[in-house]
Amino acid sequence: GLGFNIVGGTDQQYISNDSSIYVSRIKKDGAAYLDGRLQEGDKILAVNGKDLKDLRHKDAVELFRNAGCDVSLKIQRRLQPQNGPVGHQSDGESGGLPLAAILVPGLALAATAVWIWLRYRQRM
């Protein structure tokens, strides 16, 4: 499989008055996880150029199952965290930012600051 679960559709709205298809869970070590671009909460607009608008959940699932080996997804990144239906949990995993998404830029900034400071000290 593609390594992620979806929710939504005209018959199973994940968000009130929105029948869009959303990524509910990225499976560890699955294709989507290893690729790294797809995130939980992303809205999937199209699969291999086929629009997902106004599809039932099972029809969207079929599109993914028949997508083939090379899959192209058109997504809309969720800007603000949203709560799903009451009681929705993702197997104990949080939908927040991975720790690396915070640490890597922070360490890069710190390393740059140290480098600038050392270069400045050499000139004195």
Side-chain angles (χ1 to χ4, degrees):
L2 300 174
F4 63 93
N5 294 356
I6 60 171
V7 292
T10 57
D11 57 335
Q12 297 181 17
Q13 291 183 351
Y14 176 63
I15 297 174
S16 296
N17 300 318
D18 183 357
S19 60
S20 301
I21 303 297
Y22 292 88
V23 176
S24 63
R25 181 172 170 251
I26 305 283
K27 297 176 183 175
K28 296 284 185 201
D29 298 323
Y33 177 83
L34 295 172
D35 177 77
R37 291 179 282 179
L38 195 63
Q39 296 178 10
E40 291 178 359
D42 285 350
K43 182 190 290 191
I44 304 176
L45 305 174
V47 179
N48 293 338
K50 294 178 185 172
D51 193 0
L52 295 183
K53 189 174 182 178
D54 298 325
L55 284 183
R56 294 179 300 173
H57 181 80
K58 72 176 192 171
D59 295 329
V61 169
E62 278 305 306
L63 274 178
F64 285 104
R65 284 191 177 141
N66 298 319
C69 294
D70 293 324
V71 180
S72 172
L73 299 178
K74 181 177 179 183
I75 64 155
Q76 180 179 344
R77 183 80 64 216
R78 181 164 63 181
L79 299 177
Q80 294 293 330
Q82 298 175 354
N83 293 329
V86 175
H88 175 72
Q89 296 291 327
S90 59
D91 297 338
E93 297 176 31
S94 73
L97 287 174
L99 185 57
I102 297 167
L103 288 179
V104 171
L107 289 173
L109 279 171
T112 302
V114 168
W115 181 81
I116 290 170
W117 181 74
L118 289 173
R119 297 284 290 178
Y120 178 75
R121 272 190 68 194
Q122 285 179 348
R123 291 183 184 177
M124 292 175 106

